[in-house]
Amino acid sequence: MESPRVKYLRWKTEFEKTQFDETINNPNLSPEELWTLTEKNFNAWRKKHDYPKLLKSFNDKFPTFMDWKNEFEITDEQIMECSITNFISPKKLSKDNFLYLLERTFEEKKRLIVSYYDLIETKSRFHGYKESFVLLKKFVSYYDWCKQKGIKSNLFNIKSRQAPGHQLEKVWLDTGYELLKMGGISAPVNGFGILLRGKHLEFVNLCGLNLEGKINFGEEGNLSFSYCAIDKLFCNKLDMPLLDFEYSTITDLQITDSQIQNWRFWECTTTGDIVNSKLRMVNIFGGQFTPFYKDTTILDFNADHKGHPHINFSYTYSNLKKLYADQGDDTKATEYFIKEREFYREFAKGWRKVVKTISYFYWGYGKKPERIIYIAFGTILLCALIYFLFPTSINPIDQDKSILDSIYFSTVTFTTLGYGDLSPLGWLRIVALLEAFFGALSIGFIVAGFSNTKY
């Protein structure tokens, strides 16, 4: 007797085949119909009706795109098979820019994949199943290739819109390609609140998409966006984890009364309003993230501009600093205060950069005064060593001076106590003078640092 699981998988296979037969030859599917396609059927439909137009627009508009394909002998068919994003996006979090196009065989079924690593020697990740890989080519992504050659090229550059802000909004790239329309509706879910069909969406118009209620991911796959126009994304009373945005525009994002968790924004342009919501474990890497927050709680935010193209990222740091300070989380507020100041230091020049650098290492722009204590101890010990090495330059000359005497003399000099039982002679007076001056400054900075609570 078949188990429910086996019956479900057989039904799923039959349903997918029936859906494929009914939709594959229809070039004008509605947004609702596109959302309800399985990921396999969705990709097959795009390969037949949409991806060829997109790649032709790249080939016609950007000669460099053709040069890149010719250099690595990459075909449009290979790009469509493995998703465009895998071929054009910069390689993340790696000094090695090479990618690997592999033919994967799993249970006698073959498919092409793009990997960060050569998987030929990799053992099967699925116990009891046969899995093998054949390396077809080693290549560099289009954007990394352009960067190496000093070429400026942006494949995702929105040129024009029709009916902006309306649910029927259309969006065109500067290549003349119209982004596939899948916005202006509510993402479909089943009776269990599970997203009906998960997908990796790239070069898609999702303007006016509505996400509402509790949405989970099931066997149909997760949802991620790359190189998409997602303006006017409405999230109302949304409880939806695990959402990825990459290289997309998300202007006028509207999040209200929602629980957001494990969302990632990778080099996206994000503006809008976040009201009466709770955001947890959100990661922001580069780009622009400047929404307005009201009555919103944030937890475990991670924002960083280093190594990424960024637009006015200091505003992102400033907002997070203020939000954490208002919540009473001084540790995270301090973290983003320092990141904000470091952003300014990165672009400072000349003497201003020198001053900011000293301020950072000396006391963390006033937010890490404990550093001064470590520096003070280090200064006292260093000067004590100098005094110990030149005992005849300390009065009284005829008195033997131990290392403890040298530490004592250095300490009273640094703290400007000056008891007078020991005193420097000759050039050592300059050392003592500098130590006393630095000590007086340090004590003042310690008091200022520990009393400063403003951000």
Side-chain angles (χ1 to χ4, degrees):
M1 182 177 178
E2 287 185 337
S3 67
R5 174 70 177 169
V6 173
K7 289 181 179 180
Y8 167 74
L9 291 176
R10 189 177 72 253
W11 170 85
K12 182 179 177 181
T13 301
E14 294 172 353
F15 169 80
E16 193 165 54
K17 184 179 183 304
T18 301
Q19 186 186 68
F20 176 86
D21 293 337
E22 292 175 350
T23 59
I24 191 63
N25 293 317
N26 183 356
N28 299 308
L29 295 180
S30 68
E32 291 85 353
E33 291 170 325
L34 290 170
W35 273 101
T36 54
L37 291 179
T38 65
E39 186 168 21
K40 181 179 177 181
N41 287 343
F42 177 74
N43 291 334
W45 184 89
R46 290 201 80 180
K47 277 187 259 183
K48 181 170 184 177
H49 300 291
D50 185 58
Y51 279 148
K53 294 186 290 185
L54 175 59
L55 291 174
K56 184 179 184 303
S57 74
F58 292 161
N59 295 333
D60 294 343
K61 175 73 175 181
F62 299 106
T64 53
F65 188 72
M66 290 294 296
D67 293 340
W68 165 75
K69 289 199 303 180
N70 292 333
E71 180 173 331
F72 294 105
E73 298 180 345
I74 294 172
T75 66
D76 286 349
E77 288 71 24
Q78 290 171 336
I79 295 175
M80 290 188 290
E81 178 70 22
C82 301
S83 99
I84 297 174
T85 300
N86 287 334
F87 279 90
I88 68 172
S89 297
K91 188 175 180 180
K92 303 182 183 71
L93 306 175
S94 175
K95 294 181 180 179
D96 172 18
N97 287 334
F98 285 107
L99 298 168
Y100 300 86
L101 180 63
L102 301 139
E103 182 183 70
R104 176 189 182 230
T105 302
F106 183 74
E107 288 294 288
E108 300 182 353
K109 294 181 180 180
K110 299 181 183 295
R111 60 170 294 195
L112 297 183
I113 65 169
V114 173
S115 171
Y116 270 31
Y117 310 100
D118 187 351
L119 302 175
I120 290 180
E121 302 299 329
T122 304
K123 295 182 180 180
S124 177
R125 295 163 293 174
F126 305 93
H127 181 69
Y129 292 90
K130 294 180 179 179
E131 183 182 34
S132 62
F133 299 91
V134 175
L135 178 63
L136 300 182
K137 62 176 61 56
K138 181 180 177 181
F139 68 99
V140 174
S141 76
Y142 175 68
Y143 277 117
D144 283 335
W145 179 83
C146 288
K147 185 177 180 180
Q148 290 175 0
K149 295 184 177 296
I151 300 171
K152 290 185 178 180
S153 183
N154 184 8
L155 298 179
F156 185 70
N157 185 29
I158 295 175
K159 183 180 181 180
S160 61
R161 299 170 182 267
Q162 184 181 89
H166 192 272
Q167 63 179 7
L168 299 178
E169 179 176 354
K170 295 183 178 181
V171 181
W172 286 267
L173 300 182
D174 62 356
T175 62
Y177 167 78
E178 182 186 346
L179 294 180
L180 181 66
K181 175 68 174 176
M182 292 182 68
I185 64 169
S186 294
V189 296
N190 64 18
F192 299 98
I194 297 175
L195 190 71
L196 197 56
R197 302 285 183 262
K199 293 176 178 64
H200 171 65
L201 300 178
E202 55 183 358
F203 293 94
V204 170
N205 168 14
L206 294 157
C207 297
L209 180 66
N210 184 44
L211 300 174
E212 188 170 2
K214 186 174 180 62
I215 300 178
N216 298 307
F217 294 119
E219 287 191 358
E220 300 300 332
N222 290 6
L223 185 62
S224 60
F225 308 102
S226 297
Y227 301 100
C228 291
I230 323 175
D231 306 328
K232 282 286 184 182
L233 173 63
F234 296 99
C235 304
N236 182 39
K237 296 182 179 177
L238 177 66
D239 184 354
M240 183 180 188
L242 301 172
L243 202 55
D244 275 356
F245 303 85
E246 296 182 333
Y247 316 109
S248 299
T249 63
I250 319 164
T251 56
D252 204 10
L253 169 67
Q254 299 294 318
I255 299 178
T256 307
D257 302 324
S258 297
Q259 303 278 337
I260 302 301
Q261 184 170 334
N262 282 310
W263 283 23
R264 186 188 69 159
F265 298 83
W266 189 282
E267 296 180 18
C268 295
T269 300
T270 309
T271 64
D273 300 291
I274 303 177
V275 180
N276 194 32
S277 297
K278 185 175 182 179
L279 281 65
R280 182 180 181 86
M281 299 178 68
V282 173
N283 295 286
I284 306 157
F285 302 103
Q288 179 183 8
F289 194 86
T290 57
F292 171 76
Y293 303 88
K294 182 179 179 182
D295 300 327
T296 292
T297 301
I298 61 173
L299 298 169
D300 298 326
F301 250 69
N302 177 31
D304 202 343
H305 75 282
K306 293 183 178 179
H308 305 278
H310 52 267
I311 306 171
N312 193 23
F313 215 79
S314 62
Y315 188 79
T316 302
Y317 292 145
S318 179
N319 270 347
L320 295 178
K321 171 193 69 179
K322 186 177 184 305
L323 281 169
Y324 273 118
D326 291 343
Q327 291 172 196
D329 190 337
D330 291 341
T331 300
K332 293 295 287 186
T334 295
E335 176 186 334
Y336 283 104
F337 174 85
I338 292 175
K339 282 191 172 186
E340 180 186 15
R341 292 298 182 270
E342 281 291 270
F343 181 87
Y344 293 136
R345 180 168 76 98
E346 185 177 328
F347 297 98
K349 294 181 180 179
W351 178 246
R352 290 186 63 190
K353 184 156 191 166
V354 172
V355 172
K356 289 179 182 295
T357 301
I358 294 173
S359 179
Y360 171 70
F361 287 103
Y362 182 61
W363 67 334
Y365 304 108
K367 295 304 175 184
K368 292 187 177 292
E370 64 275 9
R371 289 184 183 177
I372 304 176
I373 298 175
Y374 306 142
I375 294 172
F377 279 117
T379 303
I380 290 172
L381 292 176
L382 177 62
C383 291
L385 179 62
I386 296 173
Y387 301 143
F388 180 72
L389 294 175
F390 300 95
T392 57
S393 294
I394 298 178
N395 199 32
I397 299 174
D398 56 353
Q399 178 182 324
D400 291 335
K401 303 173 186 68
S402 66
I403 187 64
L404 290 178
D405 293 325
S406 299
I407 293 174
Y408 163 76
F409 177 60
S410 182
T411 302
V412 297
T413 301
F414 186 89
T415 57
T416 67
L417 290 175
Y419 286 131
D421 50 342
L422 298 174
S423 59
L425 300 173
W427 64 271
L428 213 58
R429 290 180 296 176
I430 303 299
V431 176
L433 176 66
L434 292 175
E435 184 184 11
F437 178 74
F438 183 66
L441 284 178
S442 296
I443 292 171
F445 276 113
I446 287 175
V447 174
F450 280 107
S451 62
N452 181 21
T453 58
K454 295 183 179 180
Y455 291 93

